[in-house]
Amino acid sequence: MKNLVTSIWQFYVDGFRSMTLGRTLWLIIAIKLFIMFFILRLFFFPNYLDEAAGEGDKEDYVSSELIMRAGR
């Protein structure tokens, strides 16, 4: 089993080591993921729960909202 895992690991290491265009593509993918998950989140997805609930009351706020919305 260990030999199988080692051979699979070596296969991927050798493949990534010999890439030329692939490294550039992986860099582009990493930059796009960074922009999507960190930059856009800061500007377009505010932390509504902190603003609406306050300190220490997040659980109560969420449960009351779920109960209210389920009753509609």
Side-chain angles (χ1 to χ4, degrees):
M1 180 67 182
K2 187 174 182 179
N3 190 18
L4 177 67
V5 173
T6 306
S7 64
I8 291 172
W9 175 257
Q10 286 293 24
F11 175 75
Y12 281 105
V13 168
D14 290 339
F16 280 112
R17 189 177 296 138
S18 64
M19 273 199 279
T20 54
L21 179 63
R23 289 183 184 182
T24 307
L25 295 176
W26 277 109
L27 180 65
I28 291 170
I29 290 169
I31 291 170
K32 286 175 72 173
L33 286 173
F34 176 77
I35 290 171
M36 284 186 341
F37 287 110
F38 293 103
I39 305 297
L40 291 178
R41 184 177 183 270
L42 290 174
F43 293 114
F44 295 111
F45 302 108
N47 196 350
Y48 178 73
L49 188 58
D50 281 340
E51 296 170 3
E55 284 298 316
D57 295 331
K58 292 179 185 177
E59 296 88 5
D60 295 331
Y61 178 77
V62 170
S63 65
S64 65
E65 284 292 315
L66 286 173
I67 292 170
M68 269 185 15
R69 291 180 186 191
R72 289 185 191 176

